[in-house]
Amino acid sequence: MTLNMYASGDTPLLHIRCMGCNRLPDTVKVAPMLRNSYIVHYVVKGRGFYNGSPVERGQGFLIYPGQMVEYHADPQDPWELLWVVSEDPNMAPLFQSYHADSVSQVFSYDFVPAVSDTMDTLVMLTRTVQRPSVLLELFLRIWNHHDRDPLRTTAQSKAQTYVEFALDYIHTNYQSPVSVEDLAELLGVSQPYLFRIFKAVTGKSPKTYLGDYRLLQAKKLLAETKLTVTEVANSVGYPDVLAFSRFFSQKEGVSPRAYRQSITNSI
């Protein structure tokens, strides 16, 4: 028994075209064919073969657009699958987070119950057309587990995750008071450790990166809007316009007003 649920329309985030599953062991063989979508399969029970490579419970496989594929269940122990289909190019970087084998495109995961629970939800909603956000939420419910997968929780991957979080936090919250203490507390790490891994990835300390990012945003506002200097200062996390002007002048060698004037004169 094969079940599918489709989305109607697009979402401005990540468009998942279809999610499906088979709750009864599937013995259908997919003959060699060209696929033009990003497709991820999770095996929650049984085993099978993907392009000749064995795949079993707790594993899955990735399909990229333009790829020739062939897969089928093991007749003696047929698999149960959940699959996700998308034509969105934004799936490409997400696929990298699966850390699949570069040759077979088979990956391992350690959260079968979470995938099985999602399959239960699909069974209840199947044969219906859902809002795109529903499919996206169901996919993210699974994909978010990959960051917590202990099979890939190495010191290096943890450090990379911490830095990515810190960068996202800065980019999202630079308009508000942000400190290294805040970041370290949110991540549950020491400030010296955060300083070390952040600088190793970005070449800057968190404080310097934050200042440079605020400066970049301030320069854009001064060049592209008619906001007053005070409004620009407030917009980049400086409630004290004098402190903002001193910071800007130290970095750029001119005051915010003079910088804006130079941009106007060059047009």
Side-chain angles (χ1 to χ4, degrees), residues 5-243:
M5 177 172 65
Y6 291 89
S8 174
D10 291 327
T11 176
L13 300 174
L14 175 67
H15 186 210
I16 303 301
R17 177 64 63 185
C18 167
M19 289 184 69
C21 65
N22 62 301
R23 290 314 311 246
L24 298 177
D26 188 2
T27 57
V28 175
K29 179 177 181 178
V30 175
M33 65 184 298
L34 181 69
R35 303 305 299 261
N36 289 313
S37 302
Y38 293 94
I39 310 175
V40 55
H41 289 77
Y42 292 87
V43 180
V44 299
K45 184 178 181 180
R47 64 194 304 267
F49 298 88
Y50 173 56
N51 288 343
S53 297
V55 191
E56 60 185 19
R57 180 182 187 274
Q59 292 183 308
F61 54 94
L62 304 177
I63 298 175
Y64 286 82
Q67 183 179 357
M68 288 292 297
V69 299
E70 176 184 7
Y71 51 96
H72 64 276
D74 183 328
Q76 304 304 317
D77 187 17
W79 55 21
E80 292 185 10
L81 300 169
L82 179 144
W83 57 85
V84 183
V85 184
S86 176
E87 289 84 38
D88 193 333
N90 288 321
M91 285 294 288
L94 265 67
F95 267 26
Q96 299 302 313
S97 69
Y98 282 85
H99 301 284
D101 180 83
S102 60
V103 177
S104 69
Q105 291 302 319
V106 173
F107 64 89
S108 297
Y109 70 99
D110 194 35
F111 42 90
V112 171
V115 178
S116 184
D117 287 346
T118 302
M119 291 175 69
D120 291 339
T121 302
L122 285 173
V123 170
M124 290 188 293
L125 297 176
T126 194
R127 297 192 181 95
T128 60
V129 176
Q130 296 290 332
R131 297 188 309 277
S133 58
V134 174
L135 271 68
L136 178 60
E137 190 277 330
L138 289 175
F139 170 63
L140 293 178
R141 184 189 299 180
I142 298 172
W143 183 77
N144 285 338
H145 281 274
H146 283 280
D147 285 340
R148 302 192 294 271
D149 188 348
L151 294 175
R152 292 189 297 275
T153 305
T154 64
Q156 183 177 4
S157 65
K158 279 186 176 181
Q160 184 67 34
T161 299
Y162 290 152
V163 174
E164 290 174 358
F165 176 88
L167 288 170
D168 288 342
Y169 187 84
I170 288 172
H171 296 165
T172 303
N173 296 282
Y174 71 92
Q175 295 175 306
S176 305
V178 178
S179 68
V180 178
E181 292 84 356
D182 295 333
L183 284 171
E185 183 176 353
L186 284 169
L187 291 169
V189 299
S190 68
Q191 292 182 45
Y193 175 73
L194 177 59
F195 178 93
R196 185 170 69 254
I197 62 174
F198 194 95
K199 190 167 185 178
V201 173
T202 67
K204 302 176 181 179
S205 70
K207 183 176 180 179
T208 299
Y209 184 94
L210 172 61
D212 288 349
Y213 191 78
R214 282 174 165 164
L215 178 66
L216 175 63
Q217 301 307 312
K219 290 168 67 176
K220 287 182 179 180
L221 292 175
L222 288 168
E224 300 172 5
T225 75
K226 295 183 179 180
L227 294 177
T228 66
V229 172
T230 297
E231 290 169 337
V232 170
N234 289 330
S235 299
V236 297
Y238 276 90
D240 184 343
V241 67
L242 294 179

